[in-house]
Amino acid sequence: VHRLDKDTSGVMVVAKSERAHRSLVDQFSERKPGKVYLALVAGHPKKKKGEIALPIGRHPKVRVKMAVAEKGGKPAHTDWELLTRFREGFALVECSIRTGRTHQIRVHMSSLNHPLAGDATYGYKPSKNDDFSFPRVMLHAKTLRILHPGTEKELSFEAPLPEDYQVVLDGLNPL
């Protein structure tokens, strides 16, 4: 019914019938589901929360990348909230997306100069002082809220952090 970026862990929904599939596809195309992600970002955001409403389109030179695109981009909206700052120069943020553009959180957080840990595509560069490396882009689809295709009752699903993500967080020291 929907997709996650390569290497992104977390919750997804799969339809068990054609009727459910149609209902869920309609919900996603109408931007109805609530989607919440955990992102480990480089640096410490100055604010505790914010919103990013910048259009996203194909990168003008690197066709496999996306970019903030003032011309020709599609609307994209991400709300974020700082959860924890770490001594090692990282922060855990919760991102809620109102749209579902390709690489949306990765592009938007990079536009704030806070690329996701492990995401060399969108600007993460390890420090010479880093004593650890990241197994992947540190993005996790934590929560998905949808309407039940039959009853239209709101359902909420949550995926626990996978072991590789938890190991990274356990190795960091909160401020």
Side-chain angles (χ1 to χ4, degrees):
V1 174
H2 67 118
R3 61 180 172 65
L4 294 176
D5 292 348
K6 180 182 176 205
D7 292 335
T8 298
S9 57
V11 67
M12 291 187 72
V13 65
V14 178
K16 290 176 67 174
S17 70
E18 184 58 37
R19 178 175 172 237
H21 183 264
R22 268 193 309 276
S23 171
L24 292 166
V25 167
D26 288 346
Q27 288 181 53
F28 277 90
S29 67
E30 294 169 14
R31 311 277 184 234
K32 288 182 179 176
K35 297 180 267 187
V36 179
Y37 293 77
L38 291 177
L40 185 66
V41 301
H44 294 159
K46 290 179 178 56
K47 297 180 184 177
K48 295 226 183 236
K49 60 181 169 179
E51 64 179 271
I52 309 162
L54 297 171
I56 294 176
R58 287 269 167 219
H59 190 281
K61 294 182 180 158
V62 183
R63 299 304 294 163
V64 295
K65 280 178 66 170
M66 304 304 282
V68 169
E70 297 302 324
K71 292 183 180 178
K74 293 182 180 177
H77 199 124
T78 303
D79 297 308
W80 63 270
E81 182 174 356
L82 175 66
L83 300 178
T84 310
R85 289 185 175 107
F86 297 99
R87 284 191 176 94
E88 293 80 2
F90 298 96
L92 185 65
V93 296
E94 185 176 86
C95 297
S96 299
I97 59 174
R98 298 187 206 176
T99 53
R101 304 291 173 222
T102 301
H103 301 174
Q104 179 173 323
I105 294 170
R106 297 166 66 191
V107 171
H108 275 171
M109 293 310 294
S110 182
S111 77
L112 296 180
N113 295 316
H114 295 294
L116 274 62
D119 193 0
T121 302
Y122 291 102
Y124 174 72
K125 293 180 179 80
S127 163
K128 292 177 186 171
N129 300 328
D130 284 352
D131 292 332
F132 52 90
S133 62
F134 298 102
R136 60 185 173 90
V137 174
M138 299 308 296
L139 185 61
H140 175 72
K142 175 185 164 192
T143 307
L144 179 65
R145 287 183 307 278
I146 60 169
L147 297 179
H148 186 281
T151 66
E152 295 193 6
K153 177 183 173 191
E154 185 174 285
L155 303 173
S156 183
F157 302 96
E158 190 159 320
L161 281 175
E163 185 177 347
D164 66 341
Y165 205 122
Q166 191 63 59
V167 165
V168 168
L169 291 181
D170 290 346
L172 297 171
N173 298 291
L175 284 175

